[in-house]
Structures are given as C-alpha cells and as structure tokens.
Amino acid sequence: MWTQLAQDVINGKELSDHEALAILTVNDDELLPLLHGAFQIRKHYYGKKVKLNMILNAKSGYCPEDCGYCSQSSKSTAPIEKYPFITKEEILEGAKRAFENKIGTFCIVASGRGPTRKDVKVVSEAVSEIKEKYGLKVCACLGLLKEEQAEQLKQAGVDRYNHNVNTSQRHHDYITTTHTYDDRINTIEIVKKHGLSPCSGAIIGMKETKDDVVHIARALRALDADSIPINFLNAIDGTKLEGTKELNPRYSLKVLALFRYINPTKEIRVAGGREVNLGTLQPLALYPANSIFVGDYLTTAGQEENIDYRMLEDLGFEIELAEKQEELSRA
Ligand code: SF4
C-alpha cells in the first residue's frame, strides 16, 4: 500500500486528508513499510545524498517576543548564555568550522523580533567573505524581515532565509501572542519576492493535534518552501512549554514520513530535538528526510559530530557539499 502511494505521489498525486491522517496514526507494525515508501520518494529526488547544516547563534537571548518554546524569550527564565550580535570575524570563524566539517549550508541565526540595520550590515559583510573563502551556502534566520532588508541580504549573496511557520494557523496564538501567523507568512512571501530561497518548517510536540500537523505540512506545500526543517520539541525548563513531552521516536518518524509524502520534492531536515525525541531510531529519520543539522542547536547541545558522521557512513549515505565548496575543498 505505501509503496503504491509513494509511486502515486511521485506521479503527482496529492494526499487526501484521510491518507495524511492514516500516516500519522498507522500501527507501529506498519512503520517500516511506511518509511520504505517515504524512502522511494526521497530516493527519486535526492538519491542517498544528505545535506548538512550548521547553526551559528549570532545573537542570544534578550528577545521581546513570547514564543512558548523558546528559551531566548524575555518571558523565559531558562538560564541561557545571552549576548548581543557577534562580530563579522566571529561569524567567519563559524564559517571556517563549517567548511572543515563538510557543512553545505551555514545558518546564521539571531534572536529577536527582527534584525536592526546594523545586524543586516554585519551579516552582509560576513557573507561576501564566506562566499569567497569557503563557498558555503548561507541561510540567514533573523526574524521578521522588511523588504529592503531582504533585498540587502540577497545582494550580499545570502542564498536562503529561514522563517518557520512553527505550527498551524489554528494553534499559533497558543504558542505566541506578540506576532501573528500572518506576520510569519508575510516574511516568507517577502523572502520569495526578493529571490531568496524560502526555508520554513515546524516544531512538533507543542500540544497541537494530528490535524494541525497535516495543516502545517500542507501550508508549507502551499508556500512552496524549498527547505523544511522539522523540529521536535525539546521542552526547556523555564519556558511556557516546560514539562511537555508528547512525542516518541516512532511517532516522530511518522511525522517525517508525512512531510515527505506531502512535500515530495523538498529538502526535509531533521532539526532540533532529533537526539532527544528519536533516540536510537535517529538513523531511520534519514529515510524520509535528506538533511540534518550537525553540531549544537541555539541553546541546546546536539550529539557529538563524529557520531553523526559515523551514522551517515553506516547508512551508506553520501554527504552533499555546496558546488563551490566542493571546488575549494579539492584546491
Ligand atoms: S523564537 Fe525567535 S522571536 Fe520567538 S522568542 Fe525565540 S528568539 Fe524571540
């Protein structure tokens, strides 16, 4: 059944609500056939290649927004390290580490509602040098964006901009009250308008329903997001969602399969919370997904990098470098 559905998806079929919910509620005994179907789709578009991303937290904490999952919100009492926007030189040091670790996409992420003029200037200056020295793809994630800021980032050579929808439109106000779901969509539309590749994803496990999860996957399809990071909530003490633990590894895999069946051609990344929520089943996530983050997340630690590289080797999958990065690595 799943293999046939996968073939239909490759041929252009869109899942019905019934089929989408069937993926999320499938009996655990059917998990491997479901993942096999998702892998057929992934393999059709991406083979066995895996894209690696690395996050640099360029500004930590001090955020006036109230996102319920986030330890960088001023509403959170989590004891995190807080610092203002880092320098161009510090961004370049991060890019050097990314290059040495075969990271194809270097993600410059900053806390806050949106970037200041100075933040955009620092990122823009850093990106020109990153491109020249390391050839990495660069993704910026700086919050709500204005038209002129999107244009400036594009001109500087930023490839991609991340702004997650995070959850469904229905559930959004439970998670955040200081900005709206439409504010988020608006930023993604601005990103697209200025020729940046849109990256937008979700955080699963924030008390949303299964219908919400289907809605998120469909919303990202409608937005035509090129890259879809799927985070699994790692609830941090001191945040509004402290103590929330709704996920298990098998359900997390079903969620990844759903996103692959609904967004067959897109880069789907297993993002934050991978280690905590998928546990020993992490390798299976790369059957529906074709990308992972390596290294630490914004305020939580990832697993040791050599374990990730070993996992890819054991799976027989191949790391995909950015084109220019490949040339520079050979030089
Ligand atoms: S997710 Fe971003 S906007 Fe929301 S509180 Fe955290 S840093 Fe602020």
Side-chain angles (χ1 to χ4, degrees):
M1 170 192 169
W2 300 113
T3 315
Q4 182 57 52
L5 187 61
Q7 194 52 53
D8 293 346
V9 165
I10 290 169
N11 293 336
K13 175 188 166 68
E14 276 190 43
L15 259 54
S16 67
D17 285 345
H18 177 75
E19 287 165 328
L21 283 170
I23 290 177
L24 293 181
T25 55
V26 70
N27 189 301
D28 286 344
D29 295 353
E30 286 272 319
L31 183 57
L32 285 181
L34 172 71
L35 290 177
H36 177 68
F39 183 54
Q40 297 314 302
I41 305 172
R42 176 236 208 269
K43 206 162 64 159
H44 182 81
Y45 294 104
Y46 292 99
K48 289 161 93 176
K49 295 201 163 153
V50 180
K51 293 174 195 270
L52 304 183
N53 284 37
M54 189 186 109
I55 292 174
L56 178 74
N57 194 358
K59 176 183 168 216
S60 182
Y62 306 117
C63 182
E65 303 298 290
D66 69 352
C67 307
Y69 52 85
C70 182
S71 56
Q72 305 195 67
S73 161
S74 49
K75 305 284 179 300
S76 157
T77 57
I80 59 160
E81 191 188 354
K82 297 178 187 172
Y83 49 86
F85 216 96
I86 61 176
T87 61
K88 182 183 92 174
E89 288 67 31
E90 287 169 308
I91 296 177
L92 285 164
E93 273 170 35
K96 181 168 183 282
R97 269 200 319 278
F99 178 76
E100 287 165 355
N101 285 329
K102 298 188 177 168
I103 304 295
T105 304
F106 179 57
C107 310
I108 305 170
V109 185
S111 62
R113 182 177 169 87
T116 63
R117 189 182 293 215
K118 191 167 158 240
D119 299 342
V120 173
K121 186 165 178 274
V122 173
V123 172
S124 300
E125 287 173 1
V127 170
S128 311
E129 283 193 39
I130 292 171
K131 289 281 163 187
E132 194 182 319
K133 282 192 178 146
Y134 306 117
L136 302 171
K137 272 193 170 183
V138 176
C139 178
C141 174
L142 312 172
L144 298 169
L145 208 56
K146 299 189 180 98
E147 299 253 3
E148 61 275 18
Q149 294 174 322
E151 188 54 33
Q152 203 176 333
L153 293 171
K154 173 72 187 169
Q155 292 307 326
V158 171
D159 299 277
R160 180 166 275 176
Y161 195 86
N162 165 266
H163 199 62
N164 291 337
V165 294
N166 284 331
T167 193
S168 69
Q169 183 164 23
R170 184 200 71 81
H171 194 51
H172 181 272
D173 292 356
Y174 171 75
I175 303 297
T176 307
T177 64
T178 46
H179 55 264
T180 65
Y181 182 83
D182 287 345
D183 289 334
R184 290 194 163 264
I185 301 294
N186 185 42
T187 281
I188 300 161
E189 293 298 352
I190 287 175
V191 162
K192 282 161 48 175
K193 185 172 159 194
H194 289 271
L196 292 157
S197 162
C199 171
S200 185
I203 306 174
I204 306 296
M206 300 197 295
K207 304 191 179 179
E208 72 284 344
T209 64
K210 292 189 173 63
D211 279 329
D212 287 321
V213 178
V214 174
H215 275 106
I216 303 167
R218 289 206 198 285
L220 293 171
R221 181 183 172 109
L223 280 166
D224 204 14
D226 292 332
S227 163
I228 302 180
I230 307 295
N231 300 277
F232 296 98
L233 182 70
N234 176 6
I236 299 171
D237 287 352
T239 62
K240 175 180 163 180
L241 290 171
E242 171 178 340
T244 309
K245 179 85 181 91
E246 300 192 321
L247 304 174
N248 66 50
R250 297 168 313 285
Y251 178 70
S252 303
L253 290 169
K254 291 170 196 173
V255 168
L256 288 168
L258 175 79
F259 276 80
R260 176 57 71 200
Y261 277 85
I262 292 187
N263 296 278
T265 64
K266 303 303 186 178
E267 181 177 329
I268 295 179
R269 181 171 318 103
V270 202
R274 159 164 69 98
E275 297 83 352
V276 176
N277 288 289
L278 283 151
T280 56
L281 299 193
Q282 284 181 68
L284 292 177
L286 279 165
Y287 287 91
N290 65 310
S291 173
I292 55 172
F293 279 115
V294 173
D296 292 339
Y297 302 102
L298 289 170
T299 62
T300 55
Q303 71 188 4
E304 273 179 45
E305 288 159 18
N306 58 358
I307 301 179
D308 284 333
Y309 293 111
R310 177 75 196 274
M311 174 173 78
L312 299 180
E313 198 183 323
D314 289 350
L315 282 162
F317 287 3
E318 186 195 330
I319 297 172
E320 184 174 349
L321 300 179
E323 218 171 295
K324 181 148 182 240
Q325 181 187 12
E326 195 139 15
E327 282 168 31
L328 289 168
S329 307
R330 281 197 300 263

